[in-house]
């Protein structure tokens, strides 16, 4: 079929010369337009014998499909070339220009979080990441808070249409970590948490925690006290004491509130510790056997401790913020005070 081969050749030559979208449109009209090569060729059909018509018809239709495909790929090619040209012409930012006046600063939460990560890493803990959106199972059931348990009241949160939720505590990651590593394990996992709270100077709907877990054979409360004391002594840069008071959390048994002797007055009493000499810092306890079991770890063989450090709280204390809302606020004057610390 001479005609078909010729049109194909003509088209290839024309397409080779295309540089712009306008050129491409011209080619399209020249071949597929009302009086285009392909349209004209189709007009020949009506004078053909049935036999020839069949053969020529199939050939010309195949050619049309091929031409349409080639036009589409040329179009993508042109678009890509355009993007590459634009990227090439974009002004370059010179990151080496000195600019003392306009340096940014790390967010106070980032600074304290990094410091804690360094300390825990030096004690052999791995650092894990978690999600902000979690399943109800991970946030509650997997840490021994079944449906209708009253402890859920204290942690109302924001639910998504698919039944998932914004995690209310970093404990929501415990189950995943246990399943990922099994026992023994030593891990911390900092993260942003959410609760449906009435907002005030000490309550925010979005805040930061840092969870820690250690699971091994013969782990006891002494290990918990040791790690917490070492960590706090390093955070505050001076020797501190810790004490445990009973506290209830369904995922630990026994559960505690850990207080730290006030690093600012050495326990004598000051504004930060509200004259009590102690600061309530960190709920913690020995991991409940149910939680271990749900994480695939045998509680008869392994024990562990867990703690949920209130990172936002520690930041407020360290930098003397009297309102938690500053941490999510946009006041750079307040947030960048920490630049040199
Ligand atoms: N997840 C608890 C909370 O946010 C804190 C916690 C963590 C308590 C680990 C005990 C052990 O309230």
């Amino acid at each position: 079929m001479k005609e078909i081969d010729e049109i194909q050749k003509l088209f290839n030559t024309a397409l080779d010369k295309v540089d712009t979208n306008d050129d491409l449109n011209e080619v399209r009209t020249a071949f597929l337009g009302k009086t285009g090569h392909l349209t004209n060729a189709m007009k020949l059909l009506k004078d053909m014998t049935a036999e020839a018509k069949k053969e020529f018809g199939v050939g010309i239709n195949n050619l049309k499909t091929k031409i349409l495909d080639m036009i589409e790929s040329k179009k993508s090619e042109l678009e890509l070339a355009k993007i590459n040209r634009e990227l090439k012409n974009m002004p370059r930012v010179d990151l080496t220009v000195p600019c003392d006046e306009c340096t940014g600063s790390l967010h106070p939460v980032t600074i304290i979080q990094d410091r804690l990560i360094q300390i825990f890493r030096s004690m052999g803990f791995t650092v894990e990441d978690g999600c902000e959106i979690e399943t109800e199972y991970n946030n509650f059931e997997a840490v021994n808070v079944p449906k209708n348990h009253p402890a859920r009241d204290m942690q109302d949160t924001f639910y998504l249409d698919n039944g998932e939720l914004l995690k209310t505590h970093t404990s929501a990651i415990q189950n995943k970590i246990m399943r990922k590593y099994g026992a023994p394990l030593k891990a911390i996992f900092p993260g942003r948490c959410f609760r449906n709270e009435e907002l005030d100077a000490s309550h925010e709907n979005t805040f930061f925690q840092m969870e820690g877990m250690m699971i091994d054979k013969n782990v006891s409360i002494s290990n918990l006290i040791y790690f917490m004391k070492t960590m706090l002594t390093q955070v505050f840069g001076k020797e501190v004491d810790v004490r445990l008071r009973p506290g209830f959390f369904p995922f630990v048994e026994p559960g505690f509130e850990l207080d730290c002797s006030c690093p600012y007055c050495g326990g004598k009493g000051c504004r930060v510790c509200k004259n009590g000499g102690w600061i309530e810092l960190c709920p913690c306890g020995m991991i409940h056997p149910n939680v271990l079991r749900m994480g695939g770890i045998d509680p008869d063989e392994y024990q562990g401790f867990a703690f949920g450090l209130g990172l936002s709280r520690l930041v407020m204390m360290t930098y003397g913020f009297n309102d938690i809302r500053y941490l999510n606020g946009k006041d750079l004057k307040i947030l960048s005070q920490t630049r040199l610390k």
Side-chain angles (χ1 to χ4, degrees):
M1 278 179 292
K2 215 167 93 270
E3 289 90 344
I4 293 182
D5 289 347
E6 239 148 56
I7 298 174
Q8 171 81 69
K9 260 190 221 137
L10 268 179
F11 178 77
N12 289 350
T13 321
L15 198 68
D16 271 350
K17 291 192 189 129
V18 164
D19 278 327
T20 64
N21 268 332
D22 284 347
D23 296 347
L24 189 62
N25 282 337
E26 263 173 38
V27 172
R28 185 197 298 268
T29 319
F31 284 81
L32 300 166
K34 253 192 204 148
T35 54
H37 296 294
L38 208 73
T39 326
N40 287 342
M42 280 182 176
K43 284 178 197 153
L44 300 176
L45 275 169
K46 69 175 185 326
D47 299 326
M48 289 185 181
T49 60
E51 189 77 1
K53 216 183 238 176
K54 203 168 157 199
E55 196 186 341
F56 190 76
V58 171
I60 202 104
N61 261 330
N62 287 346
L63 180 60
K64 190 176 175 187
T65 319
K66 205 162 158 196
I67 285 184
L68 283 172
D69 281 353
M70 287 170 82
I71 290 180
E72 275 314 302
S73 19
K74 189 74 183 182
K75 207 167 144 199
S76 317
E77 204 180 291
L78 289 175
E79 258 164 41
L80 192 69
K82 186 168 162 247
I83 294 174
N84 282 336
R85 258 194 320 275
E86 281 171 2
L87 280 175
K88 215 167 154 192
N89 293 333
M90 249 168 35
R92 302 237 160 210
V93 180
D94 183 354
L95 298 174
T96 62
V97 173
C99 179
D100 291 341
E101 288 308 305
C102 54
T103 45
S105 60
L106 291 176
H107 191 281
V109 171
T110 310
I111 297 176
I112 298 292
Q113 183 173 305
D114 285 353
R115 204 182 283 171
L116 287 168
I117 286 178
Q118 231 178 0
I119 297 170
F120 276 109
R121 273 222 173 106
S122 76
M123 299 194 287
F125 284 71
T126 59
V127 183
E128 299 296 323
D129 210 2
C131 307
E132 295 185 346
I133 296 175
E134 263 302 346
T135 57
E136 209 177 322
Y137 176 81
N138 280 340
N139 199 80
F140 292 122
E141 272 99 328
V143 283
N144 209 24
V145 187
K147 277 205 165 47
N148 306 320
H149 191 290
R152 285 204 185 192
D153 273 2
M154 262 119 59
Q155 301 198 5
D156 186 20
T157 182
F158 305 91
Y159 287 81
L160 308 185
D161 287 343
N162 66 0
E164 292 186 335
L165 47 79
L166 299 188
K167 75 167 185 288
T168 61
H169 53 181
T170 38
S171 306
I173 324 293
Q174 284 191 8
N175 189 267
K176 276 193 214 162
I177 306 280
M178 286 187 282
R179 296 208 161 270
K180 184 167 168 195
Y181 293 110
L185 73 83
K186 263 159 99 184
I188 52 165
F189 24 110
R192 198 198 303 258
C193 305
F194 307 85
R195 287 188 200 174
N196 183 11
E197 295 273 15
E198 283 294 334
L199 304 192
D200 63 29
S202 44
H203 294 91
E204 243 294 21
N205 51 30
T206 306
F207 57 96
F208 297 85
Q209 289 188 338
M210 179 178 285
E211 191 97 353
M213 273 177 117
M214 173 179 177
I215 300 176
D216 208 332
K217 289 184 175 156
N218 302 322
V219 171
S220 74
I221 298 172
S222 323
N223 298 97
L224 169 65
I225 295 176
Y226 167 79
F227 279 109
M228 296 321 269
K229 193 172 157 166
T230 311
M231 181 271 288
L232 291 170
T233 299
Q234 290 202 35
V235 169
F236 294 119
K238 56 173 81 144
E239 194 71 27
V240 289
D241 266 334
V242 294
R243 73 175 184 193
L244 297 178
R245 287 177 292 113
F248 174 73
F249 305 92
F251 28 95
V252 283
E253 179 57 37
F256 308 104
E257 291 287 354
L258 180 134
D259 298 340
C260 160
S261 63
C262 179
Y264 298 99
C265 61
K268 283 196 218 70
C270 68
R271 199 176 49 85
V272 181
C273 60
K274 300 200 182 84
N275 287 323
W278 293 91
I279 295 168
E280 181 180 328
L281 212 56
C282 180
C284 53
M286 298 305 291
I287 304 172
H288 196 289
N290 287 350
V291 175
L292 289 172
R293 224 172 270 126
M294 281 185 276
I297 293 174
D298 180 0
D300 292 330
E301 203 178 343
Y302 290 100
Q303 307 78 47
F305 66 75
F307 61 86
L309 190 72
L311 205 53
S312 297
R313 187 116 194 270
L314 189 60
V315 170
M316 286 171 70
M317 216 175 80
T318 310
Y319 292 114
F321 287 9
N322 56 10
D323 195 321
I324 189 172
R325 289 169 292 193
Y326 287 136
L327 295 181
N328 291 336
K330 59 180 169 28
D331 191 337
L332 291 181
K333 263 196 207 141
I334 291 180
L335 294 176
S336 61
Q337 287 178 84
T338 52
R339 187 178 296 171
L340 298 174
K341 292 188 189 156

